[in-house]
Amino acid sequence: MNFQHKDNEYDYVILGGGITGLCVAYQLIQRNKTGRKILIIEKESKLGMHTSGRNSGVLHAGVYYKPGSIKARVCTKGVKRLSEWIEKRKININRCGKIIVPQENSLENQLVVLEERATQNGAKVSFIGKKEISKLVPCISPNIKRALWSPNTAVVNPKEVISSLEGELLELGVSIMRDSRCKIMDENRSLTVNNEIEVSYGHLINCTGLHADKIAKLFGAGMNYEILPFKGIYWKLSNKSDIKFNTNLYPVPDLNLPFLGIHFTPTGIDPLSVSIGPTATVALGRENYKGLEDFDIKVINRSLSVILGQYISNKGNFRGYIHSQSLLLIKSLMMKEARKIIPSIKDNDIVASDKVGIRSQLYDKKTKQLVDDFICESTESSTHVLNAVSPAFSSSFELADLILDKLMD
Ligand SMILES: Cc1cc2nc3c(=O)[nH]c(=O)nc-3n(C[C@H](O)[C@H](O)[C@H](O)COP(=O)(O)OP(=O)(O)OC[C@H]3O[C@@H](n4cnc5c(N)ncnc54)[C@H](O)[C@@H]3O)c2cc1C
């Protein structure tokens, strides 16, 4: 794979300039310091315009994931590496920790499951009682007697991370083409960018997030999978609100589903500005951030038929989940949920936020289930990252290494 490089010949072409693509490029350089040529092709005019720039910015410590899963393996180590990388570059990081609280008494035993998972995954957690909980969140419900405390959870502004990583990659000699669409001709390991530039490559790495399944299929990979876009809408605490705290406040999630529940997150930009969300409802298109933007009837039909199937089979209480998520779009019902954790919260404490993100949730057509873990498939000339959902941001350096281990096997 080592060419005598001509102008548009690259050892590696990475499609997609989100956190996954950038970290793969970074780790390729760490492994091959001897002049491998790397090109990142991004369809947007700026990097981080999609999931990587629109997430909650939480650096997850590795609490939730099933021990032995890839998520569990990469999150605990990955978050440590990303936090250190961020600190060295003096990017703002709010090391505010996280508490996970049972929103109903019946969920208390789930805290124990989470504690066991975290311990097995190597993530530091401890149980805390009423006094410590109310020190962290003074307005917490008096019904909450016990919570799980994760001191190593932090929050960043994801856009700052992307921009710093981009700058460093350019300095390290990685080429980045923005505003670039390409036509792939894999038979001869080549592609045409914007109908004019012919690029050839040794290996192509597909990190296109919400579009990864479509690209993979062009290479004959990921044939059993399809991405279902799930939209995450956020609210935020009004700056006039008296409710103030500086930690991540999460409910106990439904551990059968790949979503963490609506949480309160101090933003990475201003620690006292707290976002609330995200919901997880069907998106009208892969990039349907508002209104009918990118409306795609095929995506909607597919998502609705899958959701209907899951709803009827009710695997993992999917029905209950859909009910609760649909209700959360209505402010009064969202407030009802929020009051289970913070009873004093009033309607005017919460205002709509313009923050919206879309999850590239993978669906397995064979097993008819939403895929929980990260998936990566390879052909001789290409590697495809297919389910880069949360915590792919937190885990990015470690996930990149795992992708490269597979590629270099
Ligand atoms: C609402 C929400 C909240 C989240 N919160 C967290 C969190 O707090 N912590 C956490 O760890 N994770 C979180 N995640 C998950 C995390 O954001 C993602 O796992 C991660 O950003 C995925 O990065 P990516 O690079 O794979 O995808 P993306 O960031 O989507 O990047 C893919 C890139 O590929 C480009 N692209 C697509 N098609 C093409 C093409 N044909 N040619 C060239 N370029 C192309 C796109 O323009 C895009 O820039 C959250 C996700 C969502 C949706």
Side-chain angles (χ1 to χ4, degrees), residues 95-108:
R95 290 198 169 275
C96 55
K98 166 182 359 186
I99 55 172
I100 306 173
V101 297
Q103 56 281 36
E104 280 158 30
N105 286 345
S106 60
L107 291 169
E108 260 233 32

Side-chain angles (χ1 to χ4, degrees), residues 16 18-20 42-43 50-52 55-56 58 234 388-389 392-394:
I19 192 79
T20 312
E42 166 56 52
K43 72 178 170 65
H50 295 287
T51 326
S52 299
N55 59 36
S56 307
V58 178
Y234 290 83
V389 285
F393 190 83
S394 315

Side-chain angles (χ1 to χ4, degrees), residues 197-233:
I197 307 165
E198 289 274 337
V199 168
S200 49
Y201 55 82
H203 200 88
L204 179 140
I205 309 171
N206 165 16
C207 302
T208 56
L210 288 155
H211 300 269
D213 57 336
K214 287 188 300 183
I215 303 280
K217 286 188 179 104
L218 299 176
F219 291 80
M223 302 312 273
N224 289 334
Y225 300 110
E226 198 168 336
I227 283 173
L228 303 180
F230 275 89
K231 193 166 183 169
I233 292 170

Side-chain angles (χ1 to χ4, degrees), residues 127-176:
F127 283 110
I128 54 173
K130 267 191 159 184
K131 213 165 138 196
E132 285 149 302
I133 300 173
S134 44
K135 249 193 222 160
L136 290 161
V137 185
C139 45
I140 199 85
S141 162
N143 297 333
I144 295 172
K145 301 182 190 77
R146 204 157 78 126
L148 203 59
W149 167 239
S150 158
N152 293 333
T153 301
V155 187
V156 293
N157 175 357
K159 288 203 167 105
E160 276 180 25
V161 176
I162 294 289
S163 141
S164 181
L165 198 45
E166 177 184 7
E168 199 158 324
L169 286 172
L170 289 170
E171 274 173 28
L172 290 167
V174 172
S175 306
I176 302 183

Side-chain angles (χ1 to χ4, degrees), residues 259-332:
F259 308 110
L260 295 183
I262 300 271
H263 40 265
F264 292 75
T265 305
T267 65
I269 311 158
D270 169 4
L272 291 179
S273 153
V274 173
S275 74
I276 306 162
T279 56
T281 49
V282 176
L284 303 182
R286 290 173 193 250
E287 297 176 8
N288 166 246
Y289 296 111
K290 54 179 180 202
L292 295 180
E293 197 178 80
D294 185 49
F295 181 85
D296 184 340
I297 193 69
K298 263 203 232 147
V299 167
I300 300 170
N301 281 343
R302 196 67 202 120
S303 300
L304 289 179
S305 80
V306 168
I307 284 172
L308 191 65
Q310 303 272 305
Y311 189 88
I312 292 167
S313 72
N314 198 24
K315 268 185 204 154
N317 188 26
F318 195 77
R319 224 173 275 163
Y321 174 76
I322 287 295
H323 290 169
S324 60
Q325 286 298 312
S326 317
L327 296 180
L328 289 173
L329 292 175
I330 304 164
K331 187 174 174 185
S332 58

